[in-house]
Amino acid sequence: MLLVQKILEWCQENMTILLCVAGVVVAFLIIVIALSVSAKRKKKKASRSDKERFAEVAPALEEGEKQPAEQPVEEVVAEEEQPAEQPAEEVVAEEEKPAEQPAEEVVAEEEQPAEEEPEEEDEDDGDDNFADEDEEEEEGISLVQEGGIKVVFRYQYSFMARLIQSPEEVQRRYGELRDFIASYDRAKTNLSWKQVRVYTGRKTLAMILFKGRKLCISFALNAQDYDDTKYRLIDVSDIKRFEKTPSLMKLTSPRKVKYAKELLAAIFEEQQLIQGEVVPTEYRLPYQTTEELININLVKLLSNRDKVHSSQMIEPISISEMIRDRITLREAELMVSDEVAAAVYEQSKAETQTTEEERAVKRSVPRSLKGEINIDTLSENFKARDVVTLEVLKEKKLVPQKVEFVKILARGVLDKPLTIVADDFSLNAVKMIMLTGGTVRIV
């Protein structure tokens, strides 16, 4: 009680001081409350202002005016931004099938992962074996008449020969990479028989080459570092040719070219190369036949004899002489040239009643209505001499019921003759069908 009395006496004696302190505290609280209310009003007003501004520009956004007036020339447009009704690629551009796609599945738009590009998928045969680095550069078994004796020979194609006989889109992809590399100050390229070397000083940074008919690039990177990434690099470190660039990517789509440029940019940055302006050029080489390329030394003629003379009569082997019970994709690539397969393809188109206008309409259907199926899937699900049609494929549930356009692609092994009726074929698929005694029919 004594303590309480002393506190009360002290408060009575210092009442003026206590009143001043209380006044200061009350004033501080009033100021804090006023500032809080003012901030809330400003926020609400700003929110209304944002809504009003959005209402003003919404019509323009709906009309697409939010997009920039021009796109950078060197930027590759992602395939997911392309319209779904884009026509399918020409047959000469589609020779292989993605390795990761199951044989029995048909790619449909709604089945693609979010990062996949719906309009132009990667084309790959799934063959990542590089056991014989020369094998991929030889094709076209033919015969030389030499004193009544037929001698087997093959063509060996240079990098430039492959490029000259490539479709426009492949040449465009190579040109885009070349322009990108040229934009770096100390990045150099050197063209040899088999490849284009990308280097700075004495260090090899990448190689651009062909695997069969596919344009590829190998990087001075460790493929394992990119496992489970979008790049999907192939480890070729066990092959001497790729000792300095052991990670390979097949440039089978514009998306892959974009990825290749990203990896090149990372390598160049590590080497402290500085990028300047990318100057786009239109890269286009006129097509030349194999015979013309032989005359300008871009294709070599190899034989099991010591020498093949240009004066000797050269006769292509008849397809009937090469028919066998079983054919692999690699054998088909080596035994029949693209020119022969393209001639068979065109002949099949000429024999059908379907006009080019009707084919164009079919090719323009949405991708969700298009189907693709591999040769090895047909080999597993049909008997010798069966007729394969879209209706039969649907009955066997090898393609979705909604598919209206089907293309036959090459992969694996075909071990029986089939008559295949489809809207489109890859050239390698045509070869495999021919070499087993089957028939190609285009509708």
Side-chain angles (χ1 to χ4, degrees):
M1 293 294 294
L2 183 61
L3 178 62
V4 173
Q5 289 178 356
K6 288 184 178 182
I7 292 173
L8 292 175
E9 290 175 0
W10 184 86
C11 291
Q12 289 175 357
E13 293 174 358
N14 298 278
M15 183 62 68
T16 304
I17 297 174
L18 291 174
L19 290 175
C20 291
V21 172
V24 171
V25 172
V26 171
F28 176 77
L29 292 175
I30 292 173
I31 293 172
V32 170
I33 294 172
L35 290 175
S36 176
V37 172
S38 176
K40 289 182 178 179
R41 288 179 177 176
K42 289 181 179 180
K43 184 177 181 180
K44 185 175 182 181
K45 182 177 180 181
S47 176
R48 287 198 302 268
S49 178
D50 290 339
K51 291 181 179 179
E52 292 171 359
R53 287 197 298 270
F54 179 77
E56 292 175 359
V57 301
L61 293 176
E62 293 176 358
E63 296 173 3
E65 295 180 5
K66 64 180 179 178
Q67 297 182 358
E70 61 270 350
Q71 299 280 346
V73 179
E74 69 276 8
E75 183 175 347
V76 179
V77 181
E79 291 183 33
E80 55 267 28
E81 298 172 353
Q82 297 178 359
E85 62 273 9
Q86 182 176 347
E89 294 293 329
E90 292 299 321
V91 65
V92 293
E94 299 179 330
E95 297 178 358
E96 296 88 16
K97 189 64 182 171
E100 65 273 13
Q101 181 177 348
E104 66 277 8
E105 291 185 0
V106 176
V107 180
E109 185 176 11
E110 64 272 15
E111 298 172 344
Q112 290 290 329
E115 71 274 12
E116 294 292 330
E117 301 166 7
E119 284 308 316
E120 185 178 348
E121 71 269 10
D122 297 338
E123 301 161 355
D124 196 359
D125 56 14
D127 180 11
D128 296 336
N129 296 320
F130 287 76
D132 185 351
E133 65 184 67
D134 291 325
E135 180 183 2
E136 65 197 66
E137 300 193 28
E138 298 179 8
E139 71 172 31
I141 296 180
S142 301
L143 301 179
V144 173
Q145 193 72 27
E146 190 175 82
I149 301 175
K150 292 186 176 180
V151 180
V152 177
F153 74 91
R154 293 179 178 178
Y155 301 118
Q156 187 181 69
Y157 287 77
S158 65
F159 175 87
M160 283 305 300
R162 293 290 193 200
L163 195 59
I164 288 171
Q165 292 192 342
S166 293
E168 286 188 24
E169 60 266 29
V170 174
Q171 294 188 10
R172 186 164 55 246
R173 293 166 196 166
Y174 170 73
E176 188 175 337
L177 272 183
R178 190 188 66 167
D179 294 339
F180 180 78
I181 295 168
S183 68
Y184 282 83
D185 57 349
R186 293 183 289 113
K188 307 296 181 182
T189 58
N190 178 52
L191 173 65
S192 64
W193 177 266
K194 293 183 178 181
Q195 67 234 351
V196 173
R197 175 174 171 252
V198 182
Y199 66 98
T200 181
R202 295 185 178 182
K203 185 174 181 60
T204 300
L205 307 179
M207 291 196 304
I208 305 174
L209 63 145
F210 278 91
K211 178 187 181 293
R213 292 286 177 176
K214 294 183 291 296
L215 183 66
C216 303
I217 182 169
S218 59
F219 304 96
L221 297 171
N222 185 358
Q224 282 71 32
D225 294 341
Y226 294 86
D227 287 345
D228 301 323
T229 69
K230 63 183 181 180
Y231 299 109
R232 299 178 183 176
L233 297 179
I234 302 169
D235 186 356
V236 289
S237 57
D238 58 338
I239 301 173
K240 185 176 180 181
R241 178 183 183 185
F242 299 102
E243 183 178 1
K244 297 180 179 179
T245 56
S247 299
L248 184 134
M249 176 187 290
K250 300 177 184 179
L251 302 176
T252 51
S253 71
R255 177 183 59 180
K256 287 297 186 69
V257 175
K258 179 182 177 182
Y259 292 169
K261 291 196 291 186
E262 291 173 1
L263 293 176
L264 283 173
I267 295 173
F268 291 158
E269 182 179 359
E270 185 178 350
Q271 297 298 318
Q272 299 182 343
L273 305 186
I274 300 175
Q275 185 179 24
E277 180 184 0
V278 177
V279 180
T281 59
E282 184 177 351
Y283 194 87
R284 183 72 180 96
L285 298 173
Y287 181 86
Q288 296 185 61
T289 65
T290 299
E291 288 71 22
E292 291 172 333
L293 294 173
I294 291 174
N295 292 334
I296 58 176
N297 298 320
L298 290 181
V299 174
K300 295 178 182 178
L301 200 58
L302 305 179
S303 171
N304 61 340
R305 294 297 182 91
D306 294 337
K307 192 174 183 180
V308 177
H309 301 286
S310 58
S311 60
Q312 293 170 329
M313 184 173 64
I314 300 176
E315 299 177 353
I317 289 181
S318 169
I319 295 297
S320 60
E321 296 181 49
M322 293 188 287
I323 290 176
R324 55 188 65 191
D325 296 332
R326 182 182 183 278
I327 192 75
T328 67
L329 171 60
R330 175 61 66 194
E331 290 170 339
E333 288 179 318
L334 292 174
M335 294 174 66
V336 180
S337 69
D338 283 0
E339 293 168 336
V340 172
V344 172
Y345 179 88
E346 293 299 328
Q347 181 180 355
S348 179
K349 283 205 306 184
E351 292 174 351
T352 184
Q353 299 298 320
T354 307
T355 64
E356 287 296 333
E357 291 76 14
E358 291 171 332
R359 290 195 190 94
V361 172
K362 279 192 172 185
R363 287 196 297 267
S364 64
V365 300
R367 190 177 186 279
S368 60
L369 302 180
K370 293 179 181 179
E372 294 172 345
I373 190 165
N374 278 294
I375 280 291
D376 55 0
T377 303
L378 300 181
S379 184
E380 293 170 1
N381 289 277
F382 290 90
K383 298 178 182 179
R385 304 298 174 186
D386 277 355
V387 178
V388 181
T389 65
L390 178 56
E391 291 71 23
V392 177
L393 292 175
K394 290 181 180 180
E395 289 176 6
K396 290 180 174 286
K397 297 183 179 181
L398 296 176
V399 298
Q401 294 297 316
K402 63 181 179 179
V403 166
E404 297 179 2
F405 180 102
V406 66
K407 179 174 181 178
I408 310 299
L409 297 179
R411 186 178 65 187
V413 176
L414 178 61
D415 60 3
K416 56 181 65 72
L418 297 172
T419 297
I420 303 178
V421 184
D423 299 283
D424 203 359
F425 294 79
S426 74
L427 291 187
N428 283 337
V430 172
K431 297 175 186 179
M432 295 179 74
I433 297 167
M434 292 165 52
L435 291 171
T436 51
T439 304
V440 172
R441 292 183 185 173
I442 299 175
V443 293

